[in-house]
Amino acid sequence: MRLYERDEPLSDLRALFAECRLGQQRTAVLTGAVGTGRTEVVRTFTQEAVGAGALHCAAAIWSVDHALPFGTIWQLLMNPGLPARTRKQVAQLPVSEVIHTRLGADGSADGSLHQKLAYVSHVLSGLLLDVIEETGRPLLLTVDDAHHADPASLQCLLSITGRLRHSPLMAVVSAADGPQSFSPAFLGGLPAAPYCRHLRLDLLTERGVESMLAEHLPEAEARRVAAECHALTGGNPVMVRGFADDHCRTNEEDAGPLGPETMRAWTRILHRCDPTMLRLARWTAILGESGTTSMGGCLAGLTDEATSRTLRALDRTGCFADGRFRHPSLRQAVLDALAPAEQAAMHVEAAARLRTEGVSVLVVADHLVAAGEPQDPWMVPTLNEAAEQALSQGRVNQALTYLRLACRIPAPDSHHAVSRALLARAEWRTNPALTMRHGAEVIAALRSGDDPGGPELPAWAGRLIWFGRENDARTALERLGDRKQALDEVLGDQLESLRLGLSCLFPADDGPGRTVGGREGAATVNPLGQALGLLIRSLRDGPGESSVAAEHLVEQCPLGERTFAALACALGALVHGGQLGTADRWCASLEEDAAALETPTWLAVLAALRSTIALRQGDPGSAEMHAGRALQLIPVEGWGVGVLLPLGVLIEATTMTGRYQEALAHLRTPVPDVLLKTPLAIPYMRARARFHAARGGLDRALGEIGIVSELVTRWNLDWPALVPWRTDAALVHLKLGRREEARRRAAEQWEMLGPAQARERGITLRVLAAAGEPADRLTRLEQSVGELQRAGDHFELSLTLTDLDRARQGGIGSRVRQIAYSAADRDGDELADAGTGECYQVLSKAELRVAALAADGHSNREIASKLFVTVSTVEQHLTKVYSKLNVRCRSELPIRPHGLTAANELCA
């Protein structure tokens, strides 16, 4: 068959083959609608390549082949083009036994099949390399209609081409266009140019149609009917061939616009397309002019988005234009292909749907409200729609009312499945533990090897990650990746973000430092993927450009169901990028939005973030308050693995303030079994180590630190911003009298720090001062003061100032201890005696400091700067002061300005 307007893809294939013959693997992916000549292009190129000395192995795939793991790769490598000895070795691989023994009755595969994939790919790569080396000829592998290929074969082919990157091997993969792109998992694994090139076949232009017709019709006739043929067929070569055959076999007077050969060509195209395309074409034919394209999609069981994609795919065949048949004869051909009984049933269903849709949604909603407690099953979808709208508007409690009513109405399970899915979404915003009641069926399906299906599976994957169900989450993501129809771009991007999140929370032994590092720079439109990359860079590199990008992301993302996880990660990037004040302000702003949207879960996560911020600012009181609020908003059982964050803050905050019994109570709170599998445990375990060190359990503290060291090393996460475990170890060694070991650990930590990591540098300098030579102590402590002032951690600053006071043996040390905002302050602080009177006995030391500075005329921001706390903390303390002293504003404060003279001198 002669090809028309296909010179460019053929030229590209020839160029790739020429590069392949030089000893470099090349892959070509050829796509186009059914009937556009993909097979002919591959066949023409193959003939040329074989003529040039290539060994050729081909596989032509059918729709039934998708259900047979390794079926495509088996067909490809049992090809007569390979030596008999090689085919015999391929046949001896035990894959056939695996297929029979590992596949369930429903055709699903368990994890062992994926393990076998690596083995099979390794062996086959070796065999093919032997063939290439023994024959000295390039090897050409062609897979036609690869959209029907089984995922295991595609992954195997991907692995083989990757392994033979520097061998004269060329793979040509041809796939038909459909509603969704061909195998994102396969395409995503292909290398970039020059190793791979994506080629596309479009419909013929009018000139191309004329050239093709001229092969069968007189030149003048071809020129006369070319425009009509192009208008009727859209330039699909198979249709054009049918059109030409019809014109050759009939008289011009008897010939209609489209004859029987054209109709048969259209029927063959349609039945080779994606099943959803056939289904939608049938419903579009049934509806005719009586229904919209959206109605046709509903009847075909498609969402509006899926309908649009499917219609665009039908348009690409050339037989549809703008979602409609190009000619009534094409519609009639679809109707003629339906059995009478099937056609009648479809008409009945369409009529019923049209009658139902004739009633306004507003009218239906009015009747539902008036009914009070409706019991008709058809009302359930309406209630679900109302709940969806309520959720989008942030009226979670109202949505819960709708959904709980829907669940009480007798209705088909399909309707109730939607209700349960929406109920899971709504309850997730109030208490994630409630949502998991609806996940039993999903988890059971995943564990049995089934695909739960449905658009909610990505959400369930995220929920399983939250609760530390690592294996179930991985299975859910595999199901998403292995679905028969390829994922659309947005869902595919979401899937990659979920995979990235899972690798961060539950890294493999090679660690997210390596696994994630390869993905973090990848372009993505998904905010979660972007935010995760920023968080990783902040943890790894400390303050820098990632902080600017993180704040920009927070500014651009409105708070919502699809953006909250991204916002939380971006805020985490700000925290670990040293932008504590900025992060706290955004958290406070988002808390207001979350409260308006009735979302306790979001409020709890924001509170946990603020507790971390306060802890890094050296404000254990605020840290404890925020962490406690986080655990009040969501009970421990609803936190999943995230409970380690507020628990770790509570343990550390109570340890810092010397309340060891309370810290011990927090330590006894049950934590998830996956404690040693997730990096979320690292701050929690550090808090445990610091608790044991404070209580004198030094050996136990070293044991906890050793576990942290082992975990961060195993996961490639030994980043100072994540946990400075070396300085923790150095402090314990100092208490044990091991000064040299302490100095060595602190020196190691110092070498890892960059100039921007002020907080970690300040802490490390203080430890180096304690463990190093006395002559260097004063200089290092002064440097530590500067770094910690820059970082804004007043607790660590107070420790350094105390050490500095001792090093100077007096001086300003007494005044330092008076104003240092830390739990180490002694009872009977001199500030409480500076002419304040008995009424101030009700104030805490922190409240007294804030009140004195406020009475002295300082603004909240100035007070925050002087005491190294946040503006929010100042406002909270002032609120408590006003309440305790029964005053309404700072001008009514009875505190004399001279009460903080010493403090003001030092702060200035």
Side-chain angles (χ1 to χ4, degrees):
M1 177 179 178
R2 185 178 172 185
L3 297 176
Y4 299 90
E5 297 184 336
R6 300 296 182 251
D7 292 341
E8 184 175 348
L10 273 173
S11 176
D12 289 340
L13 289 172
R14 291 164 183 153
L16 286 173
F17 183 66
E19 295 168 2
C20 168
R21 295 181 68 183
L22 296 176
Q24 292 292 318
Q25 187 274 327
R26 292 293 184 265
T27 299
V29 178
L30 183 64
T31 58
V34 173
T36 51
R38 290 175 295 105
T39 300
E40 291 304 318
V41 169
V42 174
R43 181 180 297 130
T44 299
F45 166 69
T46 299
Q47 291 173 349
E48 294 179 5
V50 171
L55 288 173
H56 177 226
C57 297
I61 315 303
W62 297 90
S63 59
V64 295
D65 293 334
H66 188 276
L68 182 63
F70 294 104
T72 297
I73 205 73
W74 226 242
Q75 181 188 161
L76 190 65
L77 299 184
M78 293 302 290
N79 200 284
L82 290 177
R85 176 171 57 83
T86 302
R87 297 200 305 273
K88 182 178 180 181
Q89 290 173 309
V90 172
Q92 290 174 347
L93 287 174
V95 175
S96 60
E97 298 177 12
V98 174
I99 293 172
H100 290 300
T101 59
R102 295 299 186 185
L103 288 180
D106 60 352
S108 60
D110 65 11
S112 63
L113 192 60
H114 299 286
Q115 297 174 0
K116 181 63 68 176
L117 173 63
Y119 169 73
V120 172
S121 301
H122 175 74
V123 173
L124 293 179
S125 299
L127 292 177
L128 293 180
L129 183 59
D130 290 342
V131 170
I132 293 172
E133 291 178 346
E134 291 172 2
T135 62
R137 299 166 63 185
L139 179 60
L140 174 64
L141 308 177
T142 61
V143 181
D144 198 18
D145 286 337
H147 52 283
H148 293 315
D150 63 283
S153 289
L154 289 176
Q155 289 301 311
C156 188
L157 179 60
L158 194 63
S159 179
I160 290 172
T161 56
R163 292 169 188 268
L164 301 183
R165 183 69 55 83
H166 301 293
S167 301
L169 169 69
M170 182 171 176
V172 179
V173 178
S174 164
D177 286 342
Q180 298 171 329
S181 61
F182 161 63
S183 184
F186 177 77
L187 296 179
L190 290 172
Y195 296 100
C196 178
R197 188 171 300 175
H198 295 260
L199 311 177
R200 177 172 182 78
L201 299 188
D202 295 317
L203 296 169
L204 299 177
T205 65
E206 185 176 327
R207 182 182 296 274
V209 168
E210 180 181 340
S211 299
M212 189 171 183
L213 289 173
E215 185 180 355
H216 306 277
L217 303 175
E219 184 175 343
E221 178 69 7
R223 187 165 47 252
R224 185 182 68 82
V225 300
E228 178 189 12
C229 178
H230 186 269
L232 293 173
T233 66
N236 186 297
V238 172
M239 292 282 288
V240 173
R241 172 64 66 85
F243 183 94
D245 290 345
D246 284 328
H247 269 257
C248 288
R249 297 177 183 180
T250 57
N251 295 325
E252 184 177 340
E253 294 78 10
D254 299 333
L258 297 177
E261 290 302 320
T262 314
M263 296 299 96
R264 279 191 282 271
W266 162 232
T267 301
R268 287 195 302 272
I269 289 172
L270 193 56
H271 282 266
R272 289 177 56 202
C273 287
D274 187 279
T276 57
M277 297 169 66
L278 172 61
R279 195 160 65 245
L280 183 57
R282 286 174 169 174
W283 278 113
T284 303
I286 290 289
L287 286 172
E289 297 300 322
S290 66
T292 63
T293 56
S294 178
M295 175 64 68
C298 289
L299 289 166
L302 303 175
T303 64
D304 286 342
E305 182 185 0
T307 300
S308 298
R309 291 198 309 268
T310 306
L311 287 172
R312 287 196 295 269
L314 286 167
D315 283 352
R316 289 194 292 270
T317 65
C319 303
F320 266 55
D322 298 325
R324 293 289 182 181
F325 290 99
R326 280 187 175 269
H327 192 273
S329 296
L330 296 174
R331 171 177 176 250
Q332 190 58 48
V334 174
L335 293 174
D336 291 345
L338 288 168
E342 184 180 11
Q343 189 174 147
M346 292 177 71
H347 276 297
V348 170
E349 184 178 352
R353 181 63 63 87
L354 287 169
R355 184 178 67 252
T356 301
E357 294 295 329
V359 179
S360 167
V361 173
L362 293 176
V363 173
V364 174
D366 289 341
H367 279 286
L368 286 174
V369 172
E373 187 77 14
Q375 290 295 316
D376 291 329
W378 60 269
M379 296 178 178
V380 173
T382 304
L383 286 170
N384 292 340
E385 183 179 352
E388 182 91 43
Q389 185 175 358
L391 281 175
S392 67
Q393 296 174 356
R395 294 179 288 159
V396 178
N397 292 326
Q398 187 174 353
L400 288 170
T401 300
Y402 291 149
L403 294 167
R404 286 164 183 164
L405 173 61
C407 289
R408 294 196 299 269
I409 299 174
D413 189 65
S414 59
H415 291 165
H416 277 159
V418 176
S419 300
R420 290 192 296 270
L422 289 170
L423 187 58
R425 286 175 52 192
E427 289 181 338
W428 187 266
R429 300 193 194 184
T430 61
N431 180 2
L434 298 176
T435 298
M436 295 308 291
R437 299 176 304 175
H438 311 290
E441 293 181 6
V442 175
I443 294 172
L446 290 171
R447 292 180 176 178
S448 66
D450 295 335
D451 185 346
E456 292 297 314
L457 188 54
W460 278 112
R463 293 162 190 163
L464 292 169
I465 293 172
W466 170 285
F467 278 103
R469 298 177 182 241
E470 176 188 4
N471 294 332
D472 292 332
R474 292 189 190 281
T475 303
L477 295 179
E478 289 172 3
R479 294 291 183 276
L480 282 169
D482 293 342
R483 283 181 173 173
K484 183 176 182 180
Q485 296 179 351
L487 301 173
D488 62 51
E489 183 178 355
V490 174
L491 190 57
D493 210 20
Q494 182 183 0
L495 172 61
E496 287 305 309
S497 296
L498 286 168
R499 285 172 173 164
L500 178 57
L502 180 60
S503 73
C504 289
L505 287 179
F506 297 96
D509 285 345
D510 60 352
R514 185 175 308 163
T515 305
V516 172
R519 299 180 183 176
E520 61 180 342
T524 174
V525 298
N526 188 285
L528 178 57
Q530 295 175 3
L532 280 168
L534 294 172
L535 175 57
I536 292 161
R537 289 200 291 274
S538 291
L539 284 168
R540 186 187 62 202
D541 304 331
E545 295 181 359
S546 58
S547 300
V548 178
E551 185 172 11
H552 180 71
L553 192 151
V554 174
E555 290 174 344
Q556 296 300 314
C557 283
L559 181 64
E561 186 175 36
R562 296 184 183 277
T563 61
F564 180 73
L567 287 169
C569 291
L571 289 169
L574 285 173
V575 172
H576 292 287
Q579 304 301 308
L580 301 179
T582 301
D584 192 65
R585 287 193 295 274
W586 275 112
C587 282
S589 174
L590 290 170
E591 278 183 336
E592 295 179 4
D593 296 338
L597 294 174
E598 303 175 5
T599 51
T601 298
W602 299 353
L603 282 168
V605 173
L606 291 169
L609 282 167
R610 296 194 75 179
S611 73
T612 301
I613 293 169
L615 196 64
R616 294 177 71 87
Q617 290 176 326
D619 187 352
S622 294
E624 184 178 2
M625 178 191 69
H626 289 305
R629 182 166 178 263
L631 292 177
Q632 288 175 348
L633 287 163
I634 304 178
V636 170
E637 60 271 16
W639 267 96
V641 294
V643 75
L644 297 169
L645 295 179
L647 271 181
V649 171
L650 286 172
I651 294 168
E652 186 148 1
T654 48
T655 299
M656 290 165 68
T657 53
R659 291 175 289 132
Y660 300 132
Q661 288 302 316
E662 294 180 44
L664 185 60
H666 295 310
L667 270 169
R668 289 172 175 168
T669 301
V671 296
D673 295 335
V674 294
L675 177 65
L676 298 183
K677 293 185 178 181
T678 174
L680 285 179
I682 293 174
Y684 171 80
M685 296 186 68
R686 185 197 185 200
R688 292 202 318 193
R690 290 167 72 89
F691 166 79
H692 291 306
R695 288 289 302 274
L698 302 181
D699 290 336
R700 190 166 183 181
L702 283 177
E704 296 280 356
I705 295 170
I707 294 174
V708 171
S709 168
E710 179 185 347
L711 291 178
V712 297
T713 301
R714 180 194 307 169
W715 295 331
N716 223 8
L717 288 173
D718 197 357
W719 302 332
L722 182 60
V723 55
W725 63 268
R726 290 173 177 82
T727 51
D728 291 343
L731 288 169
V732 177
H733 284 301
L734 278 175
K735 290 184 178 182
L736 290 169
R738 304 169 183 167
R739 297 178 62 83
E740 183 58 31
E741 180 64 17
R743 189 203 62 77
R744 184 178 69 83
R745 287 296 188 186
E748 288 177 358
Q749 182 73 45
W750 179 256
E751 290 297 324
M752 299 176 67
L753 296 172
Q757 293 168 315
R759 180 173 180 268
E760 290 74 20
R761 287 168 65 88
I763 296 171
T764 306
L765 282 166
R766 185 178 71 249
V767 178
L768 283 170
E773 295 297 328
D776 300 328
R777 188 166 301 163
L778 195 61
T779 300
R780 285 175 172 169
L781 287 172
E782 289 173 344
Q783 291 173 341
S784 175
V785 168
E787 295 286 358
L788 291 171
Q789 284 178 332
R790 184 159 63 96
D793 188 330
H794 47 260
F795 182 84
E796 295 291 345
L797 175 61
S798 72
L799 298 179
T800 296
L801 289 171
T802 299
D803 287 355
L804 183 59
D805 176 34
R806 292 171 182 162
R808 290 174 173 170
Q809 298 181 354
I812 63 170
S814 60
R815 295 200 303 255
V816 168
R817 287 191 295 275
Q818 290 172 10
I819 69 167
Y821 191 139
S822 73
D825 282 323
R826 301 168 297 172
D827 292 336
D829 192 318
E830 293 179 14
L831 295 176
D833 298 326
T836 55
E838 294 182 358
C839 64
Y840 309 125
Q841 299 300 320
V842 296
L843 301 182
S844 68
K845 295 185 295 294
E847 291 164 355
L848 180 57
R849 294 187 191 92
V850 172
L853 287 170
D856 215 15
H858 294 284
S859 69
N860 289 357
R861 186 171 298 280
E862 289 171 339
I863 297 171
S865 176
K866 290 178 180 294
L867 296 182
F868 300 105
V869 298
T870 65
V871 175
S872 176
T873 299
V874 172
E875 293 169 350
Q876 293 167 14
H877 285 321
L878 279 177
T879 300
K880 294 177 182 178
V881 168
Y882 296 159
S883 176
K884 290 181 179 181
L885 299 184
N886 195 26
V887 298
R888 291 172 298 177
C889 60
R890 68 179 64 207
S891 63
E892 297 180 3
L893 288 171
I895 300 176
R896 296 172 59 84
H898 67 262
L900 276 185
T901 301
N904 290 338
E905 288 177 359
L906 182 61
C907 291

